[in-house]
Amino acid sequence: MELEEENKDITIRGEKVSPGEDKLLHINIDRLPTGTLIDIPVHVFNAKKPGPTLLIQAGLHGDEINGIEIVRRMLQEKRFKVKKGAVIVVPLLNVFGFIHFSRDVPDGKDVNRSFPGTRTGSMASRMAYHYTSEILPQIDLGIDLHTGSAQRHNFPQARYTGEDIKSKELAEIFNAPFSFSSKLIKGSFRNAAYKMGKPTIVYEAGESMRFDDYALKEGMQGILNILEHFKMIATTNTNNYAEQTRTIHLNDRRWLRAPTAGMFIPKITNGSSVDKGQILGLITDTSAKRNKTIKAPYNGHIFCINHQAVVNQGDALFHMGK
């Protein structure tokens, strides 16, 4: 009788997760000034049957909490109990930023600009180093969960690497309402993964320090789509999180900026389809003497709105694509 092939072991910080095992592991990073040890929690779900190893991570920026809640809900609902392959789940990468309500670590550095990092560098660099050496070599593909920053609200969108056809395919499978190619940023997680041949996408939805139920459901549905596509879980038409329509690919993206300083009042909802010349919002002064309108330069879609009420000339207000 021919023996069935088993899945591979997953090993993190010297602790092995064998096929058929689920474990919660920890990557020790640093201590708070009080002496309290801070580590990165890593959930590993390793099926007996071979298949791809998928990384799902959130909280790379500590104030971007929608991704953290997406992972928490799916952990609670036991959605990562796979029958093939493995899922490595990191619900909160930047613990320091999370407890300080901050995008960055306490020294002001951005972990997502510190990859691949160094073993003896800054806090952000060391976090990136341990992650790059412990996690990235073991995965086949990844999903990095983010939100908009600085009061910018991102309508659910998947960003992929234009030079990597596999990451584009991954974005199509994820099937967020919008998807588009995005340039690689030096020092980013996605750039480090690309250099190691690991296709990844970034899911951007909502804004920092606020939960957005629609963004949460679209993110959970996208993860479910990928797990089902690679047959890591049984395909089901029930217990889905969001209604699915085909993702809209955006090109010719541009920011529409404030023509003057004042109070910014949007006149459309995020995710809207708009026509050329349509009024998207206005900027007014406190005396109601001057109004400046912002109009759509072409037919397209709005996929990010700045929720900052008081703006300066040149501030980014709407992100638009077609």
Side-chain angles (χ1 to χ4, degrees), residues 25-189:
L25 310 177
H26 299 273
I27 300 177
N28 301 131
I29 296 298
D30 210 332
R31 294 180 183 274
L32 295 175
T34 58
T36 303
L37 182 65
I38 297 293
D39 52 37
I40 299 172
V42 182
H43 298 262
V44 181
F45 301 86
N46 199 10
K48 286 187 176 181
K49 294 182 180 180
T53 298
L54 170 66
L55 170 66
I56 303 168
Q57 68 177 29
L60 183 50
H61 292 135
D63 60 348
E64 297 183 4
I65 60 175
N66 275 307
I68 300 168
E69 177 62 6
I70 286 171
V71 172
R72 187 201 67 80
R73 289 190 188 185
M74 297 188 78
L75 283 170
Q76 186 176 40
E77 296 174 12
K78 297 180 170 54
R79 288 289 197 168
F80 301 126
K81 296 284 288 185
V82 290
K83 64 175 186 175
K84 287 177 60 177
V87 182
I88 299 175
V89 181
V90 182
L92 177 54
L93 202 163
N94 184 358
V95 181
F96 293 94
F98 180 76
I99 61 179
H100 287 96
F101 313 109
S102 169
R103 174 186 178 91
D104 305 321
V105 291
D107 63 3
K109 290 186 170 59
D110 187 337
V111 181
N112 204 28
R113 299 296 183 269
S114 303
F115 283 88
T118 57
R119 187 171 60 86
T120 57
S122 68
M123 182 186 295
S125 182
R126 282 182 283 118
M127 291 175 71
Y129 170 81
H130 288 298
Y131 208 74
T132 303
S133 58
E134 294 284 344
I135 304 291
L136 274 176
Q138 304 191 73
I139 71 168
D140 298 302
L141 56 158
I143 305 170
D144 189 13
L145 304 173
H146 285 261
T147 74
S149 61
Q151 294 185 281
R152 294 174 185 168
H153 183 277
N154 280 325
F155 199 77
Q157 58 195 252
R159 303 180 182 185
Y160 58 88
T161 304
E163 300 87 342
D164 183 3
I165 188 64
K166 289 185 178 179
S167 73
K168 181 179 180 181
E169 292 170 355
L170 198 61
E172 290 175 347
I173 297 164
F174 191 94
N175 200 36
F178 295 116
S179 60
F180 52 87
S181 66
S182 177
K183 290 181 180 179
L184 291 167
I185 299 173
K186 183 179 179 181
S188 69
F189 165 79

Side-chain angles (χ1 to χ4, degrees), residues 253-271:
R253 294 176 288 113
R254 60 179 289 188
W255 278 103
L256 307 182
R257 298 184 177 274
T260 186
M263 296 188 296
F264 171 50
I265 303 170
K267 292 295 184 180
I268 57 164
T269 56
N270 207 0

